[in-house]
Amino acid sequence: AGDLIISSGDDRALFVDCVEHLVNRMPTGDRNLVSAEYLTQNCVLAVRARQRHAFAASVPVPVFLEYVAPYCTFNEPRDLWRPLLANVVDPLVAGASTLEEAALRVNALVWQQWDPPIHFVPQQTRPGRPGQLSPLAVIRAGNASCTGLSIFLVDALR
């Protein structure tokens, strides 16, 4: 748990706000599914990403809480994607000076970071056949439909 420590007071306050925001807006079905440890790790990593990159610190706190901090996008399975994607995305955005530059880098490069590269496969989200929706499922399969790829990109940008 030592690696989950946030040292500065401002960042601790943002961490607390992050956890409270996610708990208050948590989908009903997640209340018995998502653990306090999961939320803690998610919020610590979100705050750390904000600390590491000057462009990320420019995001207003309400926008950060609503669009960067969340652990899910849709109804995808809840897996612990943030540590893996943070390790992959951080080098891609190192040195970016704006949010736009960082986002363009992620969108252009994140797909090729896996072996095989992640690619589009149509019609995977049909009734009774949900396809790959969570980021870790997309990585394991190496592909997804537009829904799975969209969720993957949103989470990579977070």
Side-chain angles (χ1 to χ4, degrees):
D3 59 338
L4 295 180
I5 295 171
I6 295 179
S7 56
S8 89
D10 288 345
D11 291 332
R12 275 195 304 272
L14 181 57
F15 165 78
V16 170
D17 289 347
C18 180
V19 171
E20 288 177 358
H21 183 85
L22 295 182
V23 167
N24 290 337
R25 287 166 177 75
M26 183 178 285
T28 305
D30 284 359
R31 297 210 180 271
N32 294 323
L33 179 68
V34 174
S35 69
E37 180 180 348
Y38 179 93
L39 283 179
T40 297
Q41 185 169 13
N42 181 78
C43 288
V44 165
L45 292 171
V47 170
R48 283 198 184 149
R50 186 177 172 87
Q51 291 171 324
R52 276 193 304 277
H53 304 290
F55 63 81
S58 72
V59 174
V61 170
V63 173
F64 171 83
L65 293 174
E66 192 67 27
Y67 299 105
V68 177
Y71 58 86
C72 65
T73 303
F74 186 49
N75 65 350
E76 71 274 17
R78 307 310 191 226
D79 52 29
L80 197 55
W81 54 266
R82 202 177 286 263
L84 177 61
L85 287 181
N87 286 333
V88 169
V89 169
D90 274 354
L92 301 180
V93 299
S97 57
T98 66
L99 287 168
E100 180 182 9
E101 179 184 1
L104 290 171
R105 286 184 188 183
V106 171
N107 189 35
L109 302 172
V110 74
W111 315 105
Q112 291 82 32
Q113 303 306 305
W114 317 99
D115 186 20
I118 294 171
H119 64 281
F120 171 72
V121 174
Q123 299 180 344
Q124 292 192 32
T125 52
R126 296 186 301 248
R129 185 174 175 228
Q132 288 74 248
L133 293 178
S134 73
L136 296 183
V138 170
I139 292 165
R140 279 190 298 273
N143 65 70
S145 67
C146 54
T147 305
L149 294 181
S150 296
I151 291 169
F152 181 85
L153 182 58
V154 165
D155 289 343
L157 291 168
R158 287 179 168 160

